[in-house]
Amino acid sequence: MSKHLKILEFVLSSLLRRKIKNLGIVAVFSFVVFILASILFLTHAFKTESLAILEGAPELIVHKIAGGRHDLTALRYGDEIAKIPGVGRVLPRYWGYYYDASTGANYTVMGATEAPRSTLELVRGSFIEAGQRGVCVLGEGVAEVRLAGVNGTVPIMGADGELYRFKVVGVFRDLSALLTNDLILVAPEDIREIFDMPPDVATDIVVQVFNPSEVANVAKKIKYRFPELRPITRTEILRTYETLFSWRSGLVILMFLGALVAFGILAWDKATGLSGEEKKEIGILKAIGWETSDILALKFWEGAVLSLVSFLAGLIAAYAHVFFFGASVFAPALKGWSVIFPDFRLLPYIDPYQIFVLIFLTVVPYIAATIVPSWKTAITDPDVVMRG
Amino acid sequence: MTKYRLFLGLLAVEMATLLCLYGLGAVRLSRRAPDIVVLQEMAAGLMLTDLAIWSEATYARHPSQADLFSPFQEYPSAIEHFPSGSILAPPFGMRSGGHE
């Protein structure tokens, strides 16, 4: 043990002699770990949180496809679907998109009259009551961009060119931003009026299935009986979100490909050979009696010191970046063209497996790249090494 | 023989910081667990199928209902329609959130 501590002391003195070069390596190494860890933390947290929340999504929704595109769904389909064994309540959903020219933002306008008690606690003000018209509940992002609070008004241009003014009765709290940020909830009658929807259609239909293991069967029956309808199950929704975040993380990784390539060149440079000075150092150590195993221990510690310090620093910075600062470095990539974007505070879901993967992708190759060329030099005759 | 002590100290500080962050994260997770249940109930009660993260396009706002059948496919993993899509920046007015 004391031998290794002495070697470690020697390694640190040797590293400090080449301060600038080694500090450069630590900075690049930490940055690469920071980027990779940030991406992994962010996507894993996003994925875990969204999958947990969307466990509450409807188990089956059905909408009509016309000419390969989403079309309004006739309510009569709901009556037919309700006759399928195992189907419970069948509810129409009224929703659509609204582009607000004054802010350049897109909102999702949705019809709603009832909400669970727990949801009401997430609303500042009140909720739309049954039969109440001309009122709305806003998502936090909409309220912010429209500068509208409770008792304010939000104008929406209807399909008939008329301006409909909605009184804001409630605003969702930021806790629910991941679900409600761009939402404008209005009464179903209001949404039908502003979007000029015929009375016998809805945007889509939510189907309740009593037995969760029957959902796929019911979806199959609907598809068989009504080929023009497209059923979407909750499992499909969750699967979509799993792949979605993998894709987004791929995009961000692409942005930082340059940094990864730089790190690769650094490791490759170390792996393919030692500098003349380093070879000379190994030759002198061998000449004064160091064993090959001592040289390997020396190089192992050299790689370990640099990679461990950098890895931990990068990991700490990535944690703070994602879970305290909302991944601000990636904001342009994540935000895309969205004008309103939730100010999310992700929950720190961390997968230890990902940390091990990071160690095997960065620390282990770096230590290996330090040891291998030194081993080649250490088994050569010291005289030959020193003469170059 | 002081440098290795300093190094081991630095390593210990880094490890302790990481463990503290992990511990704080675990506390935050357990505190926020009821919120996730509330959000699940909200998704169920308001019949919401998607997260309101990206509102730039229909397939980004509602990825679960993205169009799979149209000639020019629109869903987040679809190949970009036009090469310009990967080069063009959003119009100025759109970035600033104001008029174009």
Side-chain angles (χ1 to χ4, degrees):
Chain A
M1 183 65 192
S2 76
K3 180 183 158 191
H4 278 279
L5 286 180
K6 282 174 186 155
I7 290 177
L8 181 58
E9 182 77 14
F10 183 86
V11 164
L12 291 167
S13 304
S14 162
L15 289 175
L16 285 173
R17 272 200 302 277
R18 292 185 287 265
K19 253 190 244 103
I20 304 292
K21 180 192 163 197
N22 290 318
L23 278 177
I25 291 174
V26 168
V28 172
F29 201 129
S30 305
F31 180 69
V32 170
V33 173
F34 165 74
I35 295 298
L36 285 175
S38 294
I39 294 166
L40 291 178
F41 285 166
L42 180 73
T43 50
H44 183 69
F46 248 138
K47 200 187 285 186
T48 315
E49 193 159 339
S50 53
L51 294 185
I53 293 172
L54 292 175
E55 279 294 330
E59 47 220 347
L60 181 61
I61 59 165
V62 175
H63 64 224
K64 194 184 169 197
I65 297 290
R69 307 305 297 248
H70 195 189
D71 196 17
L72 295 176
T73 313
L75 294 176
R76 66 177 173 81
Y77 288 118
D79 302 333
E80 293 297 318
I81 290 168
K83 290 177 192 162
I84 296 174
V87 169
R89 288 204 304 167
V90 177
L91 298 166
R93 282 203 317 168
Y94 300 95
W95 62 275
Y97 301 109
Y98 178 70
Y99 174 68
D100 184 3
S102 64
T103 58
N106 289 308
Y107 308 138
T108 300
V109 187
M110 199 166 186
T113 45
E114 55 182 54
R117 188 184 294 269
S118 54
T119 299
L120 299 181
E121 289 166 14
L122 294 179
V123 178
R124 273 196 306 272
S126 59
F127 202 77
I128 306 162
E129 285 165 25
Q132 202 177 8
R133 302 280 306 265
V135 294
C136 67
V137 177
L138 301 182
E140 204 205 11
V142 183
E144 214 168 85
V145 80
R146 291 283 338 176
L147 303 172
V150 179
N151 293 326
T153 52
V154 172
I156 293 180
M157 178 80 76
D160 54 1
E162 289 289 317
L163 205 61
Y164 294 84
R165 289 182 190 281
F166 288 91
K167 186 186 173 199
V168 182
V169 289
V171 175
F172 283 107
R173 293 181 201 278
D174 61 349
L175 183 69
S176 67
L178 273 180
L179 272 178
T180 60
N181 198 49
D182 72 338
L183 270 190
I184 300 181
L185 296 184
V186 296
E189 297 80 8
D190 282 333
I191 192 169
R192 289 204 328 230
E193 192 177 345
I194 53 175
F195 287 156
D196 194 21
M197 287 164 89
D200 57 342
V201 295
T203 311
D204 49 31
I205 293 169
V206 170
V207 180
Q208 185 197 17
V209 181
F210 290 124
N211 183 354
S213 56
E214 281 294 312
V215 175
N217 267 342
V218 172
K220 228 181 269 175
K221 281 181 189 167
I222 293 172
K223 189 73 196 156
Y224 178 74
R225 207 173 290 181
F226 309 105
E228 68 275 30
L229 294 185
R230 178 187 174 198
I232 300 168
T233 64
R234 187 196 290 151
T235 318
E236 285 170 340
I237 294 175
L238 297 179
R239 212 166 43 216
T240 303
Y241 273 83
E242 272 199 65
T243 50
L244 171 69
F245 287 117
S246 307
W247 176 81
R248 284 266 172 182
S249 66
L251 180 81
V252 182
I253 279 188
L254 212 63
M255 283 170 58
F256 291 97
L257 202 64
L260 284 175
V261 170
F263 180 70
I265 292 170
L266 184 89
W268 179 253
D269 183 49
K270 278 192 79 84
T272 47
L274 298 172
S275 67
E277 198 188 337
E278 282 170 316
K279 277 186 186 166
K280 208 168 160 188
E281 189 183 336
I282 292 174
I284 292 170
L285 290 174
K286 288 269 301 190
I288 60 170
W290 283 48
E291 298 286 330
T292 303
S293 61
D294 297 333
I295 305 281
L296 292 184
L298 172 88
K299 287 296 165 184
F300 166 79
W301 279 113
E302 195 180 300
V305 165
L306 290 177
S307 56
L308 280 178
V309 168
S310 315
F311 181 79
L312 290 173
L315 214 57
I316 291 167
Y319 189 102
H321 169 231
V322 174
F323 299 119
F324 294 134
F325 299 105
S328 47
V329 172
F330 300 150
L334 284 171
K335 204 172 164 183
W337 287 26
S338 308
V339 173
I340 46 176
F341 192 70
D343 185 18
F344 52 82
R345 282 280 173 270
L346 286 172
L347 288 178
Y349 292 105
I350 289 176
D351 186 358
Y353 168 76
Q354 289 184 326
I355 295 181
F356 284 113
V357 168
L358 261 184
I359 292 176
F360 278 96
L361 277 179
T362 54
V363 176
V364 174
Y366 189 81
I367 293 179
T370 318
I371 292 178
V372 174
S374 311
W375 170 71
K376 280 186 191 160
T377 311
I379 53 171
T380 318
D381 184 37
D383 184 48
V384 175
V385 174
M386 280 188 283
R387 282 171 197 273
Chain B
M1 293 290 277
T2 53
K3 287 189 195 96
Y4 84 87
R5 285 178 208 275
L6 281 173
F7 166 71
L8 292 179
L10 173 68
L11 220 54
V13 167
E14 283 190 326
M15 288 292 285
T17 311
L18 209 57
L19 285 174
C20 274
L21 287 174
Y22 196 76
L24 279 174
V27 172
R28 210 169 129 203
L29 273 182
S30 62
R31 273 196 199 151
R32 285 279 310 273
D35 296 343
I36 295 290
V37 177
V38 170
L39 291 177
Q40 276 177 3
E41 286 171 7
M42 177 184 255
L46 297 177
M47 299 187 283
L48 302 173
T49 53
D50 289 272
L51 298 185
I53 305 175
W54 298 282
S55 55
E56 66 220 76
T58 55
Y59 58 84
R61 176 61 179 87
H62 290 97
S64 72
Q65 293 168 64
D67 204 343
L68 300 175
F69 314 116
S70 56
F72 296 102
Q73 297 195 337
E74 285 189 338
Y75 60 101
S77 303
I79 294 166
E80 187 67 72
H81 299 176
F82 308 107
S84 58
S86 55
I87 301 166
L88 281 174
F92 178 76
M94 191 165 261
R95 273 182 293 176
S96 62
H99 295 280
E100 277 184 49

